């Protein structure tokens, strides 16, 4: 009987500790329900990317620690030079076409072009590049903040004075 009681007490404490445990994940949090369309979402210039990109926050804050979702809009024939990100990203093409390749040099022949409805995962720290075809393209980005980009060639960084972008 003592063994069963001791097992029950141990199980209770283990489960109560598990149930009360907290993690360090910043959860997405929305206070109201919102619907988004490319026509009604609030687009802003995206300074972290070459000129011409627009972004709109769906939920979260890319400048803070935690998960966020944003839409990015790129004009036709738009390249983003090779770069890395500090955290894994999931990109889904909502409209248009997005090319994606891996490596330190933008080489469309070594990448693939994804159509609307397609997604890809970019691992942390993997050098990659993207481009659009002859269509304006909108993607959904799911990532962890604080969001950042490190260009392989620092002169490609539009945030730096004297950059070529």
């Amino acid at each position: 009987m003592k063994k069963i009681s001791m097992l029950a007490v141990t199980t209770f404490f283990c489960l109560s500790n598990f149930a009360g445990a907290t993690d360090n994940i910043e959860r997405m949090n929305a206070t109201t329900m919102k619907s988004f369309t490319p026509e009604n979402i609030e687009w802003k210039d995206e300074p972290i990317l070459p000129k011409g990109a627009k972004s709109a926050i769906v939920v979260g804050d890319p400048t803070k620690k935690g998960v966020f979702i944003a839409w990015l809009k790129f004009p036709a024939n738009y390249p983003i030079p090779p770069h890395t990100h500090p955290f894994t990203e999931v990109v889904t093409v909502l409209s248009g076409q997005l090319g994606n390749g891996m490596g330190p040099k933008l080489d469309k022949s070594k990448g693939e072009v994804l159509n609307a409805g397609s997604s890809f995962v970019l691992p942390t720290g993997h050098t990659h590049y993207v481009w659009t075809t002859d269509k304006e393209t909108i993607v959904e980005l799911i990532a962890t903040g604080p969001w950042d980009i490190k260009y392989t060639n620092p002169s490609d960084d539009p945030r730096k004075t004297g950059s070529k972008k």
Side-chain angles (χ1 to χ4, degrees):
M1 182 73 171
K2 253 188 174 180
K3 283 187 179 184
I4 293 175
S5 296
M6 196 60 155
L7 179 60
V9 169
T10 303
T11 302
F12 172 78
F13 280 114
C14 287
L15 290 176
S16 63
N17 283 339
F18 177 75
T22 60
D23 56 35
N24 292 325
I25 297 171
E26 297 290 329
R27 307 281 181 197
M28 284 190 287
N29 184 25
T31 56
T32 60
M33 194 297 254
K34 293 181 183 177
S35 295
F36 301 98
T37 67
E39 297 78 28
N40 77 6
I41 202 162
E42 186 180 339
W43 295 108
K44 296 181 179 179
D45 289 336
E46 181 51 65
I48 202 169
L49 297 173
K51 187 176 180 176
K54 304 277 187 190
S55 65
I57 304 305
V58 174
V59 67
D61 184 343
T63 67
K64 296 182 180 173
K65 181 180 174 183
V67 176
F68 71 92
I69 299 174
W71 284 8
L72 300 170
K73 180 166 58 170
F74 309 125
N77 303 306
Y78 177 84
I80 300 178
H83 60 278
T84 61
H85 298 284
F87 302 106
T88 296
E89 297 183 348
V90 178
V91 177
T92 300
V93 182
L94 300 179
S95 67
Q97 294 180 310
L98 187 72
N100 176 50
M102 304 297 279
K105 183 179 178 193
L106 197 154
D107 183 349
K108 294 178 184 179
S109 70
K110 293 184 178 177
E112 65 179 328
V113 175
L114 300 167
N115 294 308
S118 300
S119 296
F120 59 94
V121 175
L122 296 169
T124 301
H126 277 63
T127 303
H128 66 281
Y129 48 89
V130 297
W131 70 92
T132 61
T133 61
D134 59 349
K135 302 173 183 179
E136 176 183 85
T137 299
I138 298 174
V139 302
E140 179 175 78
L141 170 67
I142 302 172
T144 304
W147 191 51
D148 196 17
I149 186 170
K150 181 179 178 187
Y151 290 92
T152 303
N153 181 347
S155 69
D156 287 332
D157 191 335
R159 299 166 291 184
K160 302 212 186 242
T161 304
S163 80
K164 59 185 181 184
K165 301 295 174 197

